[in-house]
Amino acid sequence: MCGIVGYTGKNQAAPILLDGLSKLEYRGYDSAGMAVFDGKTLRSEKTPGRLNALVEMTHDGKLLPGTLGIGHTRWATHGKPTRANAHPHFNAAGTVAVVHNGIIENYLDIRQRMEKKGFAFKSDTDTETLAVMLDYYYTGDPVETIIKVLHRVTGSYALGIIFADHPGELYAARKDSPLIVGKGKDGNYIASDVPAILKYTRDVYYIENEEIAKITEKDIVFFNIDAEEIKPELHTVEWDVNAADKGGYEFYMMKEMSEQPKVLRNTCEPRMKKGSIAFEELSKDADIIKKASKIHIVACGSAYHAGMTGKYVIEGMARIPVEVELASEFRYRDPVYTDDEIVIAVSQSGETADTLAAVKEAKAHGVPVWAIVNATGSSMTREADRTLYTFAGPEISVATTKAYSAQIAVFYMLAILFAKERGQLDANEEKSYVEDLKRLPEQVELLLGNKERVQKFANRYISARDVYYIGRGLDYAIALEASLKLKEISYVHAEAYAAGELKHGTISLIEKNTLVTAIVTQEALYDKTISNIVEVKSRGAFVMAVTNVGHSEIEENADFVVYIPTTNKYFANSLAIIPLQLFAYYVSAGKGYDVDHPRNLAKSVTVE
Ligand code: AGP
């Protein structure tokens, strides 16, 4: 996902842009660039590859003097990661500079129309059409011009714009792609995400859809798409500045895995009062909870896997039917709703395009939408009827760990709440669940302390080609998440399989030394999964097992076993995932990969 940083004020802009972009590297990108205006000349540099190349090309920004600037890290959508396609993009005269996150869906029509009017294009990007149109429709009034152009585009955008005949003025606009405006003491900022400007200010405005901002060193003025001035609310970001740096770890992923005990406490404690579960956010929804006939959980990637955990736990405790769906499927399949259904969207970033679209689809049908989100103030928190935050703090590594763990903990508490409100759970049972929840952080801490043993085992699988993860019920939900972790950061092919399904075809792929990881935490299914371990062993597989302490007999069949402490069966996912996150991390790190920035991936996929 692209990163945008902009600044106008009394300081040199380039160093601020480079610093801000470095805080957005986690979003995934393949080129970088910036434009800086000194009041007379609008200069720019851009390059494919990493941000460091831009730092070197501009001598830490010294070659681009000026106190007004925009910077960008691009994750290629239209056109390869080349210098020509890198942002910023300009009009022919080089007097208008634009950086953009999102997709202009009608860019080809615009391009053809502008070419017919004699405009030439230097790139393959959709963004350049914006620079050309800003030139063509320019009236001398930037806000008026921007509105004219935005009326002619369809798609999503977060924009930073500079007009050379308006020194000191930075313009921003947004639709469906996140953008914030930071109010600082030495000037004002724009950014795609909070970490980019947290060092300079905690006071931010969240630009809403189809709003434009005119920003100078001293003022920030907002307009709606009808050119009417509006007064949005100023928010104060509570994040800890250090939370957005590595804190001595080699990769953010290890730091964030290590934060999971704290994150579980931060997420659960506000909802646990005197042995009982309560969501302040749902205090007006007792009726909806009591009457709920079905729950749809919609999400992507790991958030979808968290939803799978949610399904088993909510159905198990509260006996409500739960359907978990990929948001990219849900949004287009014209779902059939009956009365009293609820949609729960899950998203770390709160900006995932498919999940946002699924939320809008459900809302268009009048279905109550709750969102389990980590990023404060993100788009999804403004679209959903209720937001249940995960309090994991900023998650920088592309591979989610702490936010995922917090998501499944929210599902545990939702399941308890639903079961209680619907008479499926008495006060003693609730109290016992809450006690088990309180023990999770220290149990996670214990498993994290096991990392060297997992690392030694992972080192044997640096060159693995195929890995299979098998489990039943809640163990299958973890198999899904564990396989994605390995794939996305180590590029090893991994597949999750319902253990009972393997023999219906895929077992043909198991051969000598194929690594099969069996997750066996559900006591009622233990013997069934053991028989699946025997099946794959007889075909030569090497078996890693994750099971409950006390099942040492599993070592007759499994070659490497990680035991998890005893917890309630519903909460075992929080423990079983720890060694499997560590395994993926150590395989990737062992291969010398940049664990936090896996190839082809972005931290939040804000495009379809
Ligand atoms: C998980 O490690 C991946 N980064 C990815 O699958 C992610 O979970 C997915 O893109 C959803 O992101 P979201 O939670 O921000 O919506």
Side-chain angles (χ1 to χ4, degrees), residues 299-305 346-353 355 380 395 397-401 403 407 481 484-485 488 601-605:
C300 302
S302 291
Y304 168 78
H305 301 150
V346 190
S347 177
Q348 187 286 126
S349 64
E351 300 297 349
T352 299
T355 314
M380 209 167 293
E395 186 174 69
S397 190
V398 164
T400 181
T401 50
Q407 287 163 357
E481 175 55 13
L484 178 61
K485 286 281 99 41
E488 66 175 325
L601 293 181
K603 179 61 181 172
S604 170
V605 184

Side-chain angles (χ1 to χ4, degrees), residues 251-533:
F251 294 108
Y252 280 108
M253 186 175 171
M254 182 54 82
K255 174 179 179 241
E256 290 156 4
M257 285 192 285
S258 309
E259 290 174 344
Q260 291 181 110
K262 179 182 70 175
V263 162
L264 285 172
R265 289 190 189 94
N266 292 349
T267 299
C268 295
E269 281 171 2
R271 286 113 180 196
M272 295 198 277
K273 299 261 183 303
K274 299 192 187 70
S276 175
I277 295 293
F279 279 85
E280 182 55 40
E281 307 92 326
L282 302 177
S283 53
K284 300 187 183 67
D285 300 308
D287 197 35
I288 290 180
I289 291 170
K290 284 192 179 71
K291 288 191 326 189
S293 61
K294 179 176 180 181
I295 295 171
H296 293 269
I297 298 174
V298 295
C300 302
S302 291
Y304 168 78
H305 301 150
M308 287 296 281
T309 295
K311 169 188 171 67
Y312 287 109
V313 179
I314 293 172
E315 287 191 344
M317 282 193 196
R319 310 308 296 155
I320 301 172
V322 178
E323 192 172 347
V324 192
E325 299 190 64
L326 293 170
S328 53
E329 288 296 306
F330 182 86
R331 67 180 289 193
Y332 290 120
R333 72 169 183 78
D334 192 12
V336 176
Y337 299 103
T338 54
D339 296 342
D340 304 319
E341 295 188 1
I342 302 172
V343 166
I344 299 178
V346 190
S347 177
Q348 187 286 126
S349 64
E351 300 297 349
T352 299
D354 284 322
T355 314
L356 269 173
V359 164
K360 289 176 183 168
E361 203 286 335
K363 287 198 67 178
H365 287 80
V367 180
V369 176
W370 300 350
I372 299 175
V373 174
N374 191 47
T376 313
S378 53
S379 302
M380 209 167 293
T381 65
R382 295 200 291 284
E383 289 293 339
D385 299 303
R386 301 285 185 270
T387 295
L388 311 178
Y389 277 115
T390 45
F391 305 126
E395 186 174 69
I396 308 299
S397 190
V398 164
T400 181
T401 50
K402 63 176 183 174
Y404 165 81
S405 288
Q407 287 163 357
I408 59 178
V410 169
F411 275 120
Y412 301 155
M413 294 187 288
L414 275 178
I416 293 167
L417 180 72
F418 273 95
K420 176 173 61 174
E421 293 288 338
R422 298 161 67 100
Q424 303 280 347
L425 194 70
D426 67 32
N428 288 334
E429 289 167 318
E430 180 181 18
K431 205 163 165 2
S432 162
Y433 281 142
V434 170
E435 287 313 309
D436 287 335
L437 277 177
K438 282 183 175 168
R439 268 193 291 277
L440 281 182
E442 73 202 49
Q443 293 175 318
V444 168
E445 198 70 66
L446 198 68
L447 289 164
L448 288 167
N450 211 3
K451 59 165 75 83
E452 285 71 24
R453 181 168 177 262
V454 175
Q455 179 178 17
K456 221 157 84 188
F457 176 70
N459 288 341
R460 296 165 51 180
Y461 285 93
I462 305 292
S463 51
R465 273 183 318 107
D466 300 294
V467 179
Y468 295 86
Y469 292 83
I470 64 172
R472 293 168 180 262
L474 273 164
D475 290 335
Y476 174 53
I478 279 297
L480 289 165
E481 175 55 13
S483 72
L484 178 61
K485 286 281 99 41
L486 184 68
K487 273 183 277 196
E488 66 175 325
I489 61 175
S490 72
Y491 319 148
V492 173
H493 170 254
E495 248 184 287
Y497 244 84
E501 179 62 11
L502 205 59
K503 56 186 169 299
H504 296 283
T506 301
I507 200 164
S508 67
L509 297 178
I510 305 297
E511 50 196 25
K512 185 155 179 41
N513 290 332
T514 301
L515 176 59
V516 174
T517 297
I519 300 104
V520 211
T521 70
Q522 301 302 299
E523 293 295 344
L525 299 165
Y526 180 86
D527 292 339
K528 301 288 180 203
T529 308
I530 291 295
S531 62
N532 301 130
I533 291 176

Side-chain angles (χ1 to χ4, degrees), residues 4-9 11-14 17 33-45 64-72 87-100 127 130-136 138 140-143 145-146 149 158-173 179 188-190 212-217:
I4 290 176
V5 182
Y7 171 78
T8 182
N11 299 326
Q12 286 300 297
L17 302 179
M34 60 184 175
V36 180
F37 189 47
D38 64 2
K40 290 195 190 61
T41 314
L42 184 52
R43 298 182 182 83
S44 87
E45 272 301 349
L64 298 180
T67 59
L68 166 64
I70 48 179
H72 189 266
H87 299 208
H89 287 284
F90 296 85
N91 63 334
T95 55
V96 179
V98 184
V99 291
H100 166 228
T127 305
L130 295 172
V132 169
M133 281 210 290
L134 287 165
D135 183 86
Y136 178 69
Y138 191 53
D141 173 337
V143 173
T145 304
I146 291 168
V149 169
L159 300 177
I161 308 169
I162 292 173
F163 297 85
D165 58 349
H166 286 265
E169 294 176 14
L170 170 63
Y171 291 86
L179 196 64
N188 294 314
Y189 307 78
I190 61 171
I212 299 98
K214 173 182 178 181
I215 304 153
T216 60
E217 177 183 340

Side-chain angles (χ1 to χ4, degrees), residues 171-227:
Y171 291 86
R174 173 260 159 111
K175 181 171 172 290
D176 292 340
S177 281
L179 196 64
I180 59 175
V181 179
K183 187 172 183 303
K185 60 182 182 2
D186 294 333
N188 294 314
Y189 307 78
I190 61 171
S192 310
D193 199 355
V194 166
I197 57 173
L198 202 52
K199 175 174 168 182
Y200 309 103
T201 181
R202 290 178 178 278
D203 296 330
V204 301
Y205 296 99
Y206 294 102
I207 302 188
E208 297 291 350
N209 275 351
E210 296 191 321
E211 289 181 356
I212 299 98
K214 173 182 178 181
I215 304 153
T216 60
E217 177 183 340
K218 298 269 186 251
D219 291 313
I220 302 172
V221 184
F222 288 88
F223 304 87
N224 63 20
I225 201 79
D226 300 321

